[in-house]
Amino acid sequence: MEDSSDYECKQSKIFRDFDKAYAEGKLDYLKQLFLPYILNNIADLYAFKQEKMKQFLEALDMHQILKLYLYYKQMPIDMRRYMEGQSQSIKEAIADTNKERQTAVSDWIKEHAARHRDVTIKTQCLFFEKIADQVIPPIEKALADYESSLKS
């Protein structure tokens, strides 16, 4: 089990890496993918919102709902890029190992796959913070339209 200082160091590295990647435009691809990803999953978002509104005593605003949705669902917005990044990380990690390739890949997945996904999801949440004002209005409209269609 890692101690709290290791955890804090890893967390702050995620923020530093995010800020650097964002400033360099390396996350610009998410701008084109974010809204379509949410809109393609509007029924799931609606069900998630309904569930969370029952669960929490105070009302949650759309900003909070979306952050929770992104984090709880644990789904990379761009699965292709996510898998390419994971593949590249595996190649780099096993390049200097004497283990059989299949064993080395299996060991990497056991030790690092959860961390890789966690960083991806946290990066998406941080990115959402940057574009929230742009994407919340169309998402709210899509949710209202979806709710209306359920009543029809």
Side-chain angles (χ1 to χ4, degrees):
M1 186 168 137
E2 65 188 3
D3 65 27
S4 63
S5 62
D6 287 340
Y7 178 78
E8 289 169 7
C9 182
K10 287 178 181 177
Q11 293 302 308
S12 60
K13 182 173 177 357
I14 291 170
F15 287 105
R16 284 192 311 274
D17 290 350
F18 171 81
D19 286 339
K20 184 175 189 272
Y22 186 83
E24 293 173 355
K26 292 180 179 176
L27 301 174
D28 288 350
Y29 72 95
L30 283 173
K31 288 179 185 170
Q32 285 74 43
L33 299 175
F34 188 89
L35 193 56
Y37 169 81
I38 297 294
L39 296 178
N40 286 336
N41 291 290
I42 203 69
D44 188 49
L45 176 59
Y46 179 81
F48 180 85
K49 178 184 172 196
Q50 297 304 104
E51 174 191 326
K52 293 305 171 201
M53 294 305 241
K54 289 177 187 172
Q55 204 173 27
F56 291 95
L57 295 176
E58 75 262 5
L60 298 173
D61 65 24
M62 186 53 58
H63 189 261
Q64 294 165 319
I65 292 286
L66 283 165
K67 278 178 43 176
L68 287 171
Y69 182 75
L70 291 170
Y71 194 74
Y72 279 102
K73 290 301 175 173
Q74 294 286 304
M75 284 299 299
I77 290 173
D78 186 348
M79 187 58 83
R80 181 191 57 80
R81 190 178 292 249
Y82 169 78
M83 294 304 291
E84 286 173 359
Q86 187 174 40
S87 177
Q88 185 61 36
S89 294
I90 292 171
K91 285 176 188 171
E92 291 168 7
I94 69 171
D96 298 330
T97 185
N98 293 330
K99 294 179 185 177
E100 176 191 336
R101 185 179 191 291
Q102 187 173 1
T103 302
V105 169
S106 177
D107 289 348
W108 186 95
I109 290 170
K110 288 176 192 169
E111 295 173 26
H112 302 288
R115 171 87 176 129
H116 178 74
R117 180 173 290 265
D118 188 56
V119 169
T120 298
I121 300 305
K122 286 179 179 169
T123 299
Q124 289 175 182
C125 291
L126 291 169
F127 184 79
F128 166 67
E129 290 292 333
K130 298 282 189 184
I131 64 167
D133 292 343
Q134 300 165 38
V135 297
I136 288 176
I139 292 170
E140 287 177 325
K141 181 182 181 330
L143 281 170
D145 292 348
Y146 180 78
E147 187 171 30
S148 293
S149 74
L150 293 176
K151 294 176 182 175
S152 304

